[in-house]
């Protein structure tokens, strides 16, 4: 108590905080105003991305019953806000503990019956995997493959659809392995023109909330995504939205869904119950992650900047990173700027430099980027993510920090190479690397 | 700065905390010493359970790359500590984003080939669901059903195994819907005696870390569980351990696994890589939840109390709750005390009282228990969980709080009924309820 008296000489927020805590000695922090995540390196890989203090604090919510009256509306709100994010009025969201990959299983097990045909548009690593997933559940899969850095052309799509009847067409909106952004609107237009009944599934794991998406207006049938990219939440949530058409196709299927955990027969009543404020049970939802997702979705859909402004801020961040890369002589994987993602950038290492020259130097500067992922060229490029708060909250200075660190890194790496070359061969003339790095 | 001077009159931890923060006005807290979860009702349902501040703080870890050198050993450690928890030297753990239910899919899709026979021992709700899951992936399933409150007898198991060849036998170690604890050791002994090649799967969602389990010694082939019960972590992680025998059966299967997201072909290399300290990728692990799981597993397997002491503490808590219930005249669902779980208690409502009389009163006293779940008797009983820190950290006083609130609640509910009866029929003699509630 005598201690409290001396503390009382201090006015304002400190005093309030001291008084409101259980003990002024152990003074524990249990409100968001008082929570701040630990210092850490800036995470600018194409997911998981940087997560705000608010969202992380929500992930540390006290344990709650999954059927409690306090939790039910939180999941209900998440279902509604998920609709808003993909711009649909009547699409049916499914929020299930899992990774983005589980979305593929959901599509394969609920929308395709064994023996039916599926067409996979391939603009990188994730096309192959999606195709393999569909085959696992009995689909006959054809792939249309674009060269590395390109998206499949509308002509090729139209031709394939004209030759065979497909139940489903899938494409990766942004292939995280190549940063290629497919033209979702044009793809659906082609499908509706040539084969109107074919369902169109958009893999939006690396695009939802960072690239413009209008599910209803574009007439997309299924969108799958995950929590840890544009949606700014820790990983662990599979997010899927099915159109009215997709749900009709589902409910008229002849055989039962070929997955149990991913069965919409099980999940649809649960989603409907939670949305209408009632408890229901199939499998325990990831309660804490749903609180975190709620915090992030509230920011994205109900506060400033608006969704439209958010997309523009992602385009801004993207232009800045891509311009800086060009300035440094780095080439993008996407062959055409029109097909480059706005939430990430994939860059070839400059001649003479490799992952070992670049990535550890960036880490030393506190910046974590990602190596390559596309099997054929894995060791030849790296990837930078600029989604969520990194793109949207300019005051954080993330994009500037990345650009600065990238410039310094290339200069250092080039200088080091030059030094090694000089040591081995004696003084050499500038071999071009120095120019590219623009010291 | 002048403010800092006046603060400096205070000595000890407060000063250190104030100085270590970025600003003394907004003083944000970013270390576990400073984190405390928000005040909340005591959660004593049979999962999710109360989670410690340490584990919740780990769940709020800054976002990290799933392939970073900092994260890889964290997942690697979790794999090793999962082995310790189920007491196996060579079992293969699989840690995948999902709920406990995903463990059934993994078993059905990896260990059973379409057309093979499976025998499901049914001691409650979860037997039916597991059976349906196995059928989804093409198994021919027979169920051996015990009456409500009982476990299937060894004689019945031996008889069934003698009649037909089964690839797999499954049982729910603790059925969360009935609190029936099956005798795992005896079940495996029966199987090895009658049908030694049959794989035995233990559904330990409601038993791992709260009921004694010795995977190797008992010769169990698969154990599935989830993060949110005895393991004291938020929900969202499917945890499975497969024996050497199970992995051999898996690797010699003729058809490919019938799930993609749950395919061990995909996950085995990933688990092996992380355990040996190398990055690998199939689907993004739930990074934050893995940090939380790591915090909880470290406490469970590497600190005091030991695992053996932990089981004893669960038995202690269980005895206390069950004795208090008996004292109050409440009967357990399990017909035989030898088959009652130690991590939870299921109790019939006393005559004349129902959920509406009991559960809301407990909530008003800050105690959240669970209603019934077994379809046939859903509205006739309720369930109390006493797992994890609620059972182990006696200083929290959780069990005492539950016992006290339960006694008060029954007395109030009985008094209220008596009052209503008196109002309707005029003064009545004690109708037995008051006696049962032991005011």
């Amino acid at each position: 108590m005598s201690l409290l008296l001396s503390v009382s000489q201090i006015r304002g927020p400190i005093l309030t905080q001291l008084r409101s805590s259980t003990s002024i000695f152990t003074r524990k922090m249990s409100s968001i105003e008082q929570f701040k995540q630990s210092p850490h390196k800036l995470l600018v890989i194409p997911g998981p991305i940087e997560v705000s203090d608010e969202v992380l604090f929500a992930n540390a919510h006290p344990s709650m019953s999954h059927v409690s009256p306090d939790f039910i509306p939180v999941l209900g709100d998440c279902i509604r806000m998920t609709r808003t994010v993909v711009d649909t009025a009547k699409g049916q969201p499914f929020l299930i503990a899992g990774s983005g990959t589980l979305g593929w299983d959901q599509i394969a097990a609920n929308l395709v019956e064994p023996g039916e045909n599926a067409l996979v548009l391939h603009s990188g690593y994730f096309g192959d995997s999606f195709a393999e997933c569909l085959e696992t559940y009995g689909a006959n899969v054809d792939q249309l493959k674009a060269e590395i850095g390109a998206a499949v052309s509308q002509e090729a799509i139209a031709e394939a659809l004209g030759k065979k009847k497909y139940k489903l067409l899938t494409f990766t909106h942004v292939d995280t392995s190549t940063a290629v952004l497919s033209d979702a609107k044009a793809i659906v237009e082609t499908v509706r023109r040539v084969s109107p009944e074919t369902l169109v599934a958009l893999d939006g794991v690396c695009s939802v909330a960072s690239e413009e998406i209008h599910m209803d207006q574009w007439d997309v049938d299924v969108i799958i995504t995950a929590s840890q990219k544009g949606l700014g939440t820790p990983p662990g949530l599979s997010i899927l939205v099915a159109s009215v058409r997709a749900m009709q196709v589902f409910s008229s299927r002849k055989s039962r869904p070929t997955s149990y955990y991913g069965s919409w027969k099980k999940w649809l009543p649960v989603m409907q119950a939670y949305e209408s404020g009632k408890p229901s049970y199939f499998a325990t939802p990831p309660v804490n992650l749903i609180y975190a997702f709620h915090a992030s979705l509230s920011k994205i859909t109900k506060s400033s900047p608006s969704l439209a402004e958010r997309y523009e801020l992602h385009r801004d961040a993207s232009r800045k990173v891509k311009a800086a890369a060009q300035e440094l002589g780095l080439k993008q994987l996407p062959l055409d700027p029109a097909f480059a993602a706005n939430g990430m950038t994939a860059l070839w290492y400059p001649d003479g430099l490799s992952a070992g020259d670049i990535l550890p130097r960036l880490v030393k500067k506190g910046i974590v980027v990602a190596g390559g992922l596309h099997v054929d060229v894995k060791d030849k490029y790296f990837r930078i993510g600029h989604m969520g708060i990194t793109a949207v909250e300019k005051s954080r200075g993330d994009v500037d920090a990345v650009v600065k660190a990238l410039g310094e890194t290339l200069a250092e790496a080039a200088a080091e190479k030059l030094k090694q070359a000089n040591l081995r061969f004696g003084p050499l003339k500038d071999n071009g690397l120095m120019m590219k790095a623009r010291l």
Side-chain angles (χ1 to χ4, degrees), chain A:
Chain A
M1 285 310 273
S2 65
L3 197 56
L4 252 181
L5 280 173
S6 64
V7 171
S8 73
Q9 295 168 4
I10 314 163
R11 280 187 301 262
I14 292 182
L15 183 59
T16 318
Q17 284 180 23
L18 290 173
R19 275 194 180 147
S20 68
S21 61
T22 22
S23 149
I24 58 164
F25 280 104
T26 59
R27 224 162 18 74
K28 302 271 188 154
M29 297 298 136
S30 59
S31 83
I32 176 59
E33 290 73 29
Q34 297 157 330
F35 175 81
K36 189 177 169 65
Q37 60 190 296
S38 313
H40 60 282
K41 297 187 184 84
L42 179 66
L43 186 63
V44 282
I45 64 173
I49 68 166
E50 282 288 316
V51 173
S52 72
D53 288 338
E54 287 79 0
V55 174
L56 288 179
F57 186 70
N59 211 35
H61 195 284
S63 198
M64 296 288 289
S65 166
H66 48 299
V67 290
S68 86
D70 293 325
F71 174 68
I72 291 168
V74 177
L75 180 44
D77 277 353
C78 285
I79 294 169
R80 284 180 283 271
M81 291 191 285
T82 297
R83 269 196 204 97
T84 306
V85 165
V86 298
D87 199 8
T88 179
K90 293 188 175 169
Q92 177 59 53
F94 292 90
L95 309 178
I96 308 178
S99 84
T101 302
L102 181 64
W104 296 343
D105 285 66
Q106 286 186 63
I107 291 175
N110 291 291
L111 290 178
V112 187
E113 298 190 59
E116 290 181 335
N117 300 325
L119 181 64
V120 172
L121 310 189
H122 181 291
S123 53
Y125 172 87
F126 291 93
D128 285 325
S129 314
F130 202 162
E132 190 185 347
C133 176
L134 288 161
E135 282 168 353
T136 300
Y137 291 92
N140 299 319
V141 181
D142 294 321
Q143 281 201 61
L144 280 181
K145 295 202 181 192
E147 64 177 315
I148 293 176
V152 180
S153 72
Q154 301 309 315
E155 294 69 32
I157 299 170
E159 193 191 331
L161 290 173
K163 277 192 205 154
K164 201 193 264 192
K165 192 167 172 62
Y166 290 99
K167 175 77 170 285
L168 172 76
L169 173 145
T170 78
F171 68 98
T172 318
H173 196 196
V174 169
D175 197 295
T176 320
S177 75
T178 56
V180 167
L181 170 70
S182 288
D183 185 342
K185 187 164 176 274
I187 291 171
V188 190
E189 281 169 1
T190 301
V191 174
R192 295 294 169 245
R193 181 168 52 80
V194 185
S195 175
E197 283 177 19
T198 298
L199 295 172
V200 181
L202 180 159
D203 179 341
V205 169
C206 198
S207 74
V208 168
S210 59
E211 309 288 345
E212 197 135 3
I213 293 180
H214 302 289
M215 185 175 189
D216 286 359
Q217 195 188 316
W218 295 352
D219 199 17
V220 180
D221 290 304
V222 197
I223 294 176
I224 65 159
T225 189
S227 48
Q228 77 275 13
K229 304 202 182 194
L231 291 167
T233 308
L237 193 65
S238 163
I239 299 149
L240 183 149
V241 188
S243 70
V244 172
R245 185 192 292 116
M247 291 312 293
Q248 279 164 352
V249 167
F250 167 69
S251 59
S252 63
R253 63 181 285 143
K254 288 174 213 87
S255 57
R256 69 165 140 189
T258 45
S259 164
Y260 183 76
Y261 183 62
S263 167
W264 292 351
K265 275 229 161 65
K266 298 295 178 187
W267 285 113
L268 182 60
V270 174
M271 293 298 135
Q272 288 170 335
Y274 275 86
E275 191 170 359
S276 65
K278 292 183 208 114
S280 182
Y281 176 74
F282 168 56
T284 308
V287 177
N288 284 53
L289 193 58
I290 293 290
Y291 275 104
F293 191 42
H294 190 273
S296 191
L297 279 175
S298 300
K299 186 86 183 170
I300 292 173
T301 67
K302 293 181 174 173
S303 83
S304 173
S306 69
L307 254 177
E309 288 161 351
R310 183 168 282 268
Y311 296 135
E312 189 50 37
L313 286 164
H314 278 86
R315 283 188 286 262
D316 264 1
S318 179
R319 279 189 287 260
K320 217 176 225 178
V321 172
K322 289 171 172 68
Q326 194 176 16
E327 184 82 1
L328 291 165
L330 298 174
K331 280 180 122 175
Q332 290 184 54
L333 254 72
L335 301 170
D336 179 340
F339 291 95
N342 296 296
M344 66 174 292
T345 300
L347 299 165
W348 298 107
Y349 293 120
D351 289 342
L353 295 182
S354 65
D357 301 308
I358 307 287
L359 307 191
R361 280 198 169 85
L362 282 169
V363 167
K364 269 196 193 151
K365 296 177 198 297
I367 309 279
V368 179
V369 302
L373 181 60
H374 194 295
V375 184
D376 301 341
V377 288
K378 206 173 173 309
D379 300 323
K380 297 184 177 163
Y381 73 107
F382 66 108
R383 299 169 299 149
I384 302 169
H386 27 82
M387 287 175 264
I389 54 178
T390 284
V392 172
E393 294 180 11
K394 290 195 173 179
S395 60
R396 291 173 53 96
D398 289 359
V399 171
D400 293 334
V402 170
V403 165
K404 181 166 173 279
L406 189 60
E408 290 171 1
T409 291
L410 284 175
E412 287 166 22
E416 174 68 23
K417 287 283 161 188
L418 202 60
K419 197 172 127 198
Q420 285 171 5
N422 281 340
L423 283 176
R424 283 170 61 203
F425 304 111
L428 280 180
K429 291 213 168 165
D430 183 306
N431 65 355
L433 264 174
M434 299 292 278
M435 286 303 290
K436 275 188 186 161
R438 306 225 177 178
L439 279 168

